[in-house]
Amino acid sequence: MTRRLQGASIRRKLIALTLTVILIPVFCVLAIVGEKEIRDIQTDMLASSALMGSMVAEFGAAALAFDNPRAAEQVLRTLGNHEEFLDAVLYDLAGHRFAAYNRVGNIGAPIDLVPPAPEALVTRDGARITVVRPVDRNGTRFGTIVLHTSTAPLTSRVRAYLWGLVWLIAGVLAASLMLAWALEQMVSRRVQKLADVAQQIAQREDYSVRADDRGRDEIALLAHGFNAMLAEIGRRQSEAQQAIRVRDEFLSVASHELKTPLTSLKLQVQSLMEMPPAIADPAEAKRLQSSFALTERQVRRLERLVTNLLDVSRIAIGRFALASQEVDLVVLVKDVIAQFSAEIQRGGYQVSFDLPAEAKGQWDPLRLEQVVVNLVSNAIKYGDGKPIDIAVARRQEQTVLRVRDHGIGVDLPSQERIFERFERAVSVNYGGLGLGLYITRQIVTAHGGKISVESTPGQGSTFVVELPPEVPASPASPAAPASPASRASSTSREGAA
Amino acid sequence: MSRRMPRVALPLALVAAIAGACPASAAADELEYPVKAEFIERFTRFIDWPTQVFAGPDAPFVLCVVGSTPMEAHLERIAGRRLKERRVELRRLKPTADAGACHLLFVAGSERGHIKQIITRLSGKPVLTVGDSEGFAREGVLINLILDEDGHVRFEICSNELRKSGLNVSAQLLRLARVVTEVQP
Ligand SMILES: Nc1ncnc2c1ncn2[C@@H]1O[C@H](COP(=O)(O)OP(=O)(O)OP(=O)(O)O)[C@@H](O)[C@H]1O
Ligand SMILES: [Mg+2]
């Protein structure tokens, strides 16, 4: 019972409490009073029957003494005025019937026999009370009166009384329910309101709403504290948003400013590499050549970093459009692998392919290249020198790209997180900003596709990208990251980190 | 006392039965006087005398008879019992004698000529006068025994004289009586 009550709402508890506090004493008092009252009614009834006996004995005495049955009958007839009276017989001393009266409607004629009654005797059997009483005067006995009364009026009186009690209890119940209701209004209704506000905030992330904190009781205090907390959260949130905005602006400006000189630097290095060697010494020329290659690789790496940063800031401000045309994913994969040939060689990777003749679709070639680049660069970065498998396949309408390595892997709790901005699951020894997979996912979802990872730590990871044949007319909502909800969720995560 | 009662009650019931069947029968006549005597005894149970009429706790109940009556033998029998829890002293009075010391005075039918005198002398005194003659109640005798048409013994009460007498008569007795008022000459 108490366990069940503990789980109940405050409202239930209040009602239960009020009802118990009111009804238990009321029931006790009513039970005691009612019991006594019913007993009183019963004694009353017996007493009134006995009184009828005495009355008849009193007036019957003279009638018996002076041998006047007619007068006796008159006396008995007066008993007919009492509703509980049934019948009466007056016997003389010899036991003969001297006078009798039978109330109209009552059958069951009295018998011509007198039980010896030295003193008044009142007995009750079932619905009938029998009074037997000697009729005497100044110590001389003249006869006996036997009369019967019915307990029907008694039972109806008791019943009326019990009905009264029932009504009373119903009244008390109604009153206490009203009281409970009033209490509930005062307490639990307000708690409920507070809970509603909390719920609303949790759902809408709108920290500008306030709970009603009027009054001076504990609930008002609670609401007040709650509001203060809300104000604080609101302030911190706007601060955090402000900080993020500043950071995003900085990223956007910085990556733009970096991009321009970087592009010309890359072109310069490439044109230098294509020039015929100016040095005659072949050994020197070779050293110069490899030094150029290193420079070019580093420049490309730098460019990727800057591109990623630029993309992130574009995604953040919602300026991230796709330009789709016919693309063959197989060709694209081969291109990217060619780009990474130097890294593959240096890392000692075995790359195996499972590619169809072609896998064409209407996609954004540059963005799709970014996807493949990010996945392949991760496989190389985290692949631990173990073999890498790349597969492209068609599954119904969808085109599936699978990049698999046998490297360090990602533990399960991090598998969702790594697709978020700046999220990483490795130590800082591995270079990187944690943006690659974020951008990859944004691109894939903008294409109407899906990206997922399967991984066992220490055994490797498989990233699977599924693409529809063409970009859907209105890209799915995660592709438009400018929407406040997704922005808020990602920024709040960053704020927490 | 109660052991003796059934013997009395039985003839009473018999009176009713026999008188109802044939009012003129000898048996009824024979029973009339014992029943009347018994009635007189019973009147004393329903009537209270003022305490000062008795000289003391041991003073007797004085039962007087004036005139000659067939009741006399039966009254003698009554006198053998106790009335009002006192021993009974039966006195036979001359019509001219002062009956003021009596508690109960039976006036025989033979005294119809003296009735005025007797009543005037006793008027307002706590003496229960009893008669069994036609019209005596109207003359002022407090209780007059009569026979009704069925031959049952009944009684009349002279209400105004009774009120004056200072005797305390039970309401139940009054209920059974035929109430008569004294005719003033
Ligand atoms: N193939 C993989 N094997 C194991 N862990 C991986 C793999 N690919 C990604 N990860 C984990 O996911 C994290 C996020 O990857 P992501 O590509 O977004 O960032 P990054 O590679 O660290 O930096 P960058 O922005 O230069 O790509 C990585 O830091 C790494 O912990
Ligand atoms: Mg990466």
Side-chain angles (χ1 to χ4, degrees):
Chain A
M1 170 75 190
T2 38
R3 177 110 41 93
R4 246 178 56 201
L5 202 59
Q6 254 166 20
S9 63
I10 293 181
R11 178 198 168 134
R12 283 266 183 80
K13 280 180 197 152
L14 272 177
I15 291 177
L17 185 77
T18 326
L19 289 188
T20 337
V21 162
I22 294 177
L23 290 185
I24 286 180
V26 165
F27 275 132
C28 288
V29 168
L30 285 186
I32 292 167
V33 170
E35 207 262 353
K36 189 189 165 320
E37 196 69 16
I38 286 170
R39 220 154 3 112
D40 280 0
I41 291 176
Q42 277 171 344
T43 359
D44 260 23
M45 186 81 193
L46 290 180
S48 97
S49 298
L51 194 74
M52 275 161 72
S54 329
M55 206 176 87
V56 177
E58 180 95 2
F59 286 97
L64 267 172
F66 299 102
D67 190 30
N68 196 336
R70 208 153 339 121
E73 248 145 43
Q74 242 166 36
V75 169
L76 295 183
R77 209 166 302 132
T78 58
L79 292 179
N81 298 334
H82 298 261
E83 53 169 351
E84 65 264 43
F85 173 75
L86 292 174
D87 57 60
V89 189
L90 198 59
Y91 296 95
D92 65 18
L93 270 181
H96 296 298
R97 195 197 302 195
F98 180 71
Y101 177 70
N102 211 339
R103 192 200 179 98
V104 189
N106 172 48
I107 319 154
I111 17 76
D112 201 1
L113 190 137
V114 191
E119 58 210 43
L121 210 71
V122 181
T123 50
R124 178 181 172 188
D125 70 300
R128 219 166 66 141
I129 296 173
T130 307
V131 181
V132 178
R133 225 199 103 102
V135 177
D136 49 14
R137 172 87 192 175
N138 290 348
T140 309
R141 186 159 170 196
F142 296 110
T144 309
I145 172 76
V146 177
L147 68 82
H148 293 115
T149 58
S150 155
T151 55
L154 167 79
T155 29
S156 70
R157 257 170 78 189
V158 168
R159 196 167 307 140
Y161 184 78
L162 287 180
W163 268 114
L165 281 191
V166 166
W167 282 114
L168 190 66
I169 286 170
V172 169
L173 200 71
S176 44
L177 273 175
M178 259 158 68
L179 194 72
W181 181 76
L183 272 178
E184 193 245 306
Q185 287 285 317
M186 276 194 293
V187 181
S188 73
R189 189 52 71 84
R190 292 174 54 209
V191 173
Q192 181 61 48
K193 259 184 166 167
L194 205 58
D196 284 348
V197 171
Q199 184 92 19
Q200 199 182 325
I201 290 163
Q203 272 168 4
R204 289 209 252 128
E205 300 196 23
D206 175 6
Y207 297 95
S208 64
V209 292
R210 290 291 178 267
D212 180 2
D213 62 354
R214 282 171 299 183
R216 298 170 61 186
D217 61 358
E218 291 86 340
I219 295 172
L221 222 62
L222 182 65
H224 197 74
F226 189 72
N227 284 345
M229 223 162 70
L230 278 181
E232 181 63 19
I233 291 172
R235 196 176 59 74
R236 289 204 189 167
Q237 199 201 26
S238 71
E239 266 176 25
Q241 274 169 348
Q242 178 68 18
I244 287 165
R245 203 162 41 243
V246 169
R247 186 194 68 187
D248 286 351
E249 261 163 33
F250 170 75
L251 273 182
S252 154
V253 172
S255 47
H256 254 108
E257 292 302 313
L258 285 170
K259 181 93 179 176
T260 326
L262 206 57
T263 312
S264 68
L265 182 61
K266 192 177 91 178
L267 291 174
Q268 285 296 318
V269 172
Q270 279 170 352
S271 63
L272 278 175
M273 280 173 80
E274 277 156 19
M275 277 203 304
I279 302 158
D281 182 7
E284 270 298 296
K286 198 152 186 225
R287 244 192 43 220
L288 188 66
Q289 197 63 37
S290 74
S291 149
F292 270 139
L294 180 71
T295 309
E296 198 255 2
R297 267 205 318 276
Q298 294 301 334
V299 167
R300 257 200 302 147
R301 195 175 150 208
L302 196 59
E303 193 199 16
R304 270 209 307 281
L305 279 172
V306 171
T307 312
N308 276 353
L309 277 178
L310 197 59
D311 283 344
V312 168
S313 66
R314 276 194 192 129
I315 293 166
I317 57 175
R319 224 185 296 139
F320 183 71
L322 296 181
S324 52
Q325 61 185 73
E326 193 176 79
V327 184
D328 186 349
L329 187 58
V330 174
V331 174
L332 208 139
V333 167
K334 284 178 180 161
D335 260 14
V336 172
I337 294 301
Q339 274 179 43
F340 279 97
S341 56
E343 281 92 342
I344 289 168
Q345 238 172 17
R346 261 188 317 120
Y349 283 99
Q350 280 278 304
V351 182
S352 61
F353 300 96
D354 179 4
L355 304 173
E358 57 166 35
K360 286 187 177 161
Q362 293 292 321
W363 300 309
D364 183 331
L366 290 178
R367 292 297 176 198
L368 210 55
E369 184 187 336
Q370 251 181 304
V371 168
V372 181
V373 164
N374 282 330
L375 293 182
V376 170
S377 74
N378 278 354
I380 291 168
K381 205 188 317 182
Y382 307 111
D384 205 17
K386 309 270 168 58
I388 294 170
D389 312 326
I390 298 173
V392 172
R394 271 197 185 273
R395 194 191 294 155
Q396 286 142 12
E397 292 281 84
Q398 308 273 311
T399 306
V400 181
L401 167 68
R402 201 182 301 265
V403 180
R404 175 183 207 172
D405 65 59
H406 297 82
I408 59 169
V410 194
D411 58 1
L412 196 66
S414 306
Q415 283 179 11
E416 182 56 30
R417 182 171 61 86
I418 54 175
F419 292 100
E420 299 293 343
R421 205 152 59 144
F422 299 111
E423 290 289 347
R424 310 193 68 212
V426 286
S427 72
V428 283
N429 295 342
Y430 294 89
L433 293 174
L435 291 176
L437 285 180
Y438 170 67
I439 292 163
T440 302
R441 175 145 89 173
Q442 296 300 326
I443 292 168
V444 171
T445 46
H447 276 89
K450 279 189 288 187
I451 181 166
S452 59
V453 63
E454 264 170 45
S455 179
T456 313
Q459 290 185 22
S461 324
T462 307
F463 285 83
V464 181
V465 173
E466 284 174 58
L467 292 170
E470 59 188 57
V471 182
S474 60
S477 66
S483 85
S486 68
R487 237 178 113 172
S489 68
S490 55
T491 50
S492 68
R493 200 159 306 176
E494 276 165 46
Chain B
M1 193 203 242
S2 59
R3 243 188 303 120
R4 211 167 47 226
M5 291 314 289
R7 260 195 297 137
V8 184
L10 197 66
L12 269 172
L14 271 171
V15 169
I18 295 162
C22 44
S25 86
D29 285 347
E30 269 165 38
L31 276 169
E32 181 186 338
Y33 297 107
V35 168
K36 281 180 175 171
E38 196 60 40
F39 266 43
I40 289 171
E41 192 259 20
R42 290 186 179 185
F43 287 142
T44 66
R45 299 181 183 276
F46 293 87
I47 294 173
D48 289 322
W49 276 259
T51 39
Q52 66 270 18
V53 302
F54 297 105
D58 298 329
F61 184 93
V62 182
L63 172 59
C64 306
V65 181
V66 60
S68 69
T69 166
M71 288 284 288
E72 201 167 326
H74 302 288
L75 286 175
E76 258 165 39
R77 200 159 46 78
I78 296 293
R81 302 189 209 159
R82 290 170 80 80
L83 289 180
K84 286 284 165 203
E85 267 135 53
R86 290 163 193 277
R87 141 184 92 74
V88 182
E89 197 183 303
L90 184 66
R91 293 182 192 167
R92 288 176 188 77
L93 299 184
K94 291 202 184 85
T96 50
D98 178 16
C102 300
H103 296 121
L104 193 153
L105 174 67
F106 185 84
V107 185
S110 58
E111 300 311 304
R112 194 179 288 273
H114 299 111
I115 190 75
K116 270 260 135 33
Q117 192 186 349
I118 294 168
I119 292 306
T120 332
R121 226 181 295 143
L122 289 180
S123 179
K125 287 188 179 150
V127 176
L128 178 67
T129 48
V130 180
D132 68 340
S133 308
E134 173 78 39
F136 265 26
R138 216 163 305 236
E139 299 290 347
V141 172
L142 297 188
I143 298 180
N144 188 34
L145 294 162
I146 51 168
L147 287 178
D148 70 2
E149 56 273 21
D150 296 333
H152 291 133
V153 181
R154 295 285 179 256
F155 51 90
E156 303 170 322
I157 280 178
C158 174
S159 61
N160 49 340
E161 278 299 330
L162 188 64
R163 219 174 296 123
K164 276 192 272 173
S165 71
L167 292 170
N168 187 7
V169 180
S170 142
Q172 301 153 48
L173 189 69
L174 290 173
R175 271 173 65 112
L176 295 177
R178 184 184 302 157
V179 178
V180 166
T181 37
E182 186 185 9
V183 179
Q184 298 300 334

